Amino acid sequence: MIYYAIALLVIAFDQLTKWIIVHNMDLGQRITVIDNLFYITSHRNRGAAWGILQDQMWLFYIITIIVIGAVIYYLEKHAKGKPLFQLSLALILGGAIGNFIDRLFRKEVVDFLDTYIFTYDFPIFNIADSALTIGVALIFIQMLKEGREEKVKPNGQN
C-alpha cells in the first residue's frame, strides 16, 4: 500500500505545482532560478515529450489507460518483495496519472521546469515527467540488478 501512497504524493505534488503555475504566471513568463541553467517557465504542451504528436489526445488517453492498468497489474502480481521495482512502478503510476489529469481536464499538459544542459535548451517538463523518467531509470537499474543476481551460482560464486 505504501507504493500507492507514493503515487498519490507524486500526483498531489504534480497537480499542486501546476496549479501554482497556472494561477500565478502568464503563459510564456519566465523566472530565473539559476541563470543559464534553470528557470521556471509557464508552458503548455498538447503533445508528448519534445512536443511530438501534437493534439492527439485520444491516443494519449488510450496509452495512459493501458499504462496505468499494466503498472497496477505489475505492482500486484510481479513486484512483491522487490522494493526498487515497486518504487519505480509507483513513480510511473503517479507520473502517468498526473499528466493524464491535465490532458483530461485542460486538454494540454502544464510544463514549467526549464533547464539548460551545456547550452542545450532541454524541453520544458513537469513533476509528472520527472517521476516517469526516474521510474523508468529505476526499472533499468532493477533489471541490471536482477541480471547480476541470476549470474551468481547457487553456492555464491560467479
Side-chain angles (χ1 to χ4, degrees), residues 18-29 41-48 51 54 102 106-112 124 126:
K18 290 172 178 176
W19 183 89
I20 290 168
I21 296 301
V22 168
H23 287 87
N24 292 290
M25 293 180 72
D26 294 327
L27 188 58
Q29 183 180 350
T41 303
S42 181
H43 179 74
R44 305 298 180 274
N45 185 356
R46 292 177 185 233
Q54 289 290 314
D102 278 18
R106 291 188 175 101
K107 306 297 183 224
E108 61 189 5
V109 175
V110 176
D111 291 326
F112 57 91
I124 302 171
N126 59 46

Side-chain angles (χ1 to χ4, degrees), residues 14 37 39 54 74 83 117 120 127 133 136-137 142:
D14 176 65
L37 181 66
Y39 303 87
Q54 289 290 314
Y74 272 89
I117 301 172
Y120 174 70
I127 301 300
T133 302
V136 169
Q142 176 70 32

